[in-house]
Each structure stands twice: as structure tokens, then as C-alpha cells.
Amino acid sequence: MHSNKRLASRLPVILMAAALLLPLSAAADEHPAWATMAAINAQLAAQGADYQLEVIEFLTTDDSDPEFQRTVFFSDRGNKQLGHDFVPGDARRTWGSGTAITFFLDGVEGVTDDGLTQAQTDAAIRAGIAAWENLTCSTIPQIDLGNSPFDAGVVENILGFGGSPFIFADIAHTGWEPRGLFDAIAPNGGSFILAATFTFVFTGTDVDNNGKLDTAFREVIYNDGFTWAINANFDVQTVATHEHGHALSQAHFGEAFTNPSGKLFFAPRAVMNAAYSGVQQSFHGSDVGGHCSNWGSWPNN
Ligand SMILES: [Ca+2]
Ligand SMILES: [Ca+2]
Ligand SMILES: [Zn+2]
């Protein structure tokens, strides 16, 4: 039997243990980006949009908080994490082009402070896109709509960072945004997130019955808070290749490990690893396999 005195002496220990456990269990179940995702979707619903933000895929630095090395699904679905993919010839994608996939680049929001020109970052992004296009298993034509002569981006627009509320293509690389945009998505996210891909789906629909929610459009945003480079860290083409992989429906791949010195690494290595680990412009086997399984039989999937 415990005396009151013994219980009283144990109570602070129990409370301390509870205080330590609570944030950890909350972190396992929730993601700090959920509040922002919910706010974005509330605004879209209020506008009468037939699409909502379904997933954000974060590419982080290799010393990031593990919280951010994640693919984050909108909280409304709880643990039910469905896939998501474009429907060939989807008439709802009025910004699309039949069975081709359209894309454009934001032409006015390049890197601001690292000495890179818009022409350099455009070329690096297009090289990343071309790498996927050049995989011979894929039968999708991607149509390059060019550069927007204005600040584009639905996510930016909703979060108050300029952009535009209009959708112009299936995939938009909507430019370099200040670190504050990523902090707005998740507290302190701007210090870890190099870039992110946002997937919007037609709300709750799977018209082609392939078990995947129907993708409406995707946006890629880069974090101007980092130092960007061409063929050196942080390499624009490496990050663009990774993000355009998401834009073409590919998920993260590889398991994260931490070595004894605390450095993060992934096995197996892939362009689609969830954290940046150096210049990596060419594909590994899993990157090719994932792309070919998504697009090898397009538009007959
Ligand atoms: Ca933009
Ligand atoms: Ca579907
Ligand atoms: Zn990613």
C-alpha cells in the first residue's frame, strides 16, 4: 500500500513523464502543417472550388527536424492515405490538354539573392523536367507552356504571398518564395524545407476507379531562404528533378537513417529520397521503376 506521502512524492515524476510523453505522441499523430492545410481548404470550399489540397511533400535539408521529412496528408482523412494521380483526358482539368500533361514556370520569381539569373534557374528546372521526359518507358507527352509573365501560384495566393488564384496548367513551378511562406505552412518550417510540392485533388473523387484520388493540379514552391546554386549545393536541378517527380505522381522512396555522428542518410539512395543529400541529377533504379509504373501505360491506365 502506498502512503499519501509516497504518492505525493511520486506525483511530480509522473507529471514530468506525462509532460515528456505528450508532445512526442502528438508529433506522431499530427503534423504542424495540418492547421495550414485546413485553412487553405476552408478558403477553397468557401470559394466553391471543386478541388482541395490533399498532400504536401516536403524536401528537407539533411539536418532537418524529422517532423518535416514527411509526406503530409490532409488531416480530414485521418490515417487513410490514398494515392493520387491524374486521370487521362479528365475534362475537369480545363487547364490541361487531353492526355498530355501541361506545365509552366513562374517567370518573375526566381532566386533573389544568390547571384542566379531567372534564365539559369529556368534552365535547371527544365533540365529536371526533361530527365523524366527522357525516360523511354514513359508515354506521356508533357507540354511546356513557357514562363508566366506574372507572379503565379494558388498556394502563395491563399497564404498571402502574392501569386494568383487561377490555375493555368496541370503542373506549375511557382517560383522562389521567402522563408516566411514555409514558416507559415509549419512553424520554423522555413529553416528545413528546401522545396515542397502541393497536390490538389478533385474533392473526394475517383472517376476512373483506380483506387487513387483524381489529381486536379500540382504546384512546386522553392524556398528562397536557402543559398541556391547550379551544379553545387543547394543544386536547383537536383531539387527540381525531385519535385517534378512528385508533380508526376511519384512518392518519396527510401528509408532514413542517422549515422553515429548524427548525419542523416537514406537507403537506398534515390532522387526521390525525402531529404537533400548532395547533387543528384541522375536517377537510381527505384526512381525509374516508380515512374515507369505510373506512366508506362498512360493514357490507358
Ligand atoms: Ca509565384
Ligand atoms: Ca482516380
Ligand atoms: Zn519530396
Side-chain angles (χ1 to χ4, degrees):
M1 286 277 115
H2 298 298
S3 70
N4 283 343
K5 193 179 171 197
R6 283 185 65 187
L7 184 59
S9 70
R10 282 183 179 199
L11 202 53
V13 176
I14 293 166
L15 287 176
M16 275 178 64
L20 285 170
L21 281 173
L22 276 175
L24 288 174
S25 62
D29 297 327
E30 297 176 15
H31 192 282
W34 274 357
T36 307
M37 295 174 87
I40 288 171
N41 283 334
Q43 186 161 332
L44 289 174
Q47 292 167 359
D50 63 348
Y51 48 83
Q52 70 170 21
L53 176 60
E54 172 68 12
V55 187
I56 309 176
E57 287 156 309
F58 295 113
L59 178 68
T60 61
T61 56
D62 66 1
D63 57 351
S64 89
D65 183 328
E67 184 78 20
F68 290 103
Q69 294 157 14
R70 282 185 54 181
T71 300
V72 181
F73 291 79
F74 182 49
S75 57
D76 275 3
R77 295 182 200 289
N79 292 324
K80 196 177 181 199
Q81 300 181 344
L82 296 175
H84 39 92
D85 207 351
F86 292 111
V87 176
D90 193 338
R92 294 169 297 176
R93 284 188 285 112
T94 54
W95 45 86
S97 180
T99 56
I101 296 294
T102 56
F103 71 88
F104 76 93
L105 277 53
D106 189 311
V108 301
E109 284 193 316
V111 177
T112 61
D113 55 0
D114 302 327
L116 298 183
T117 64
Q118 176 92 33
Q120 285 177 298
T121 57
D122 285 351
I125 292 173
R126 286 197 165 88
I129 294 170
W132 294 109
E133 185 75 15
N134 290 341
L135 290 177
T136 52
C137 69
S138 161
T139 54
I140 10 158
Q142 294 189 72
I143 298 179
D144 186 346
L145 300 179
N147 283 15
S148 65
F150 48 82
D151 180 6
V154 170
V155 172
E156 296 159 37
N157 189 254
I158 293 177
L159 295 179
F161 287 80
S164 150
F166 306 106
I167 307 162
F168 301 102
D170 298 315
I171 298 168
H173 289 253
T174 69
W176 272 261
E177 289 298 318
R179 172 190 162 148
L181 177 136
F182 296 88
D183 288 336
I185 292 166
N188 207 28
S191 31
F192 302 120
I193 302 166
L194 282 166
T197 298
F198 300 76
T199 293
F200 292 80
V201 298
F202 291 110
T203 308
T205 66
D206 176 16
V207 296
D208 56 345
N209 294 310
N210 65 348
K212 294 178 176 181
L213 294 170
D214 305 335
T215 298
F217 64 98
R218 293 189 171 106
E219 289 190 342
V220 176
I221 308 180
Y222 301 84
N223 186 346
D224 204 19
F226 287 94
T227 301
W228 292 88
I230 300 296
N231 302 328
N233 298 333
F234 290 103
D235 178 42
V236 177
Q237 184 176 329
T238 297
V239 174
T241 307
H242 174 99
E243 298 304 327
H244 204 74
H246 289 314
L248 293 174
S249 305
Q250 193 155 179
H252 282 143
F253 186 83
E255 209 169 327
F257 299 94
T258 309
N259 71 15
S261 63
K263 192 168 164 52
L264 185 80
F265 67 98
F266 280 84
R269 284 288 299 274
V271 164
M272 296 314 296
N273 290 157
Y276 182 96
S277 53
V279 176
Q280 188 170 240
Q281 299 173 348
S282 44
F283 296 124
H284 293 250
S286 62
D287 300 312
V288 176
H291 184 76
C292 295
S293 86
N294 279 338
W295 296 99
S297 59
W298 177 273
N300 301 311
N301 44 347

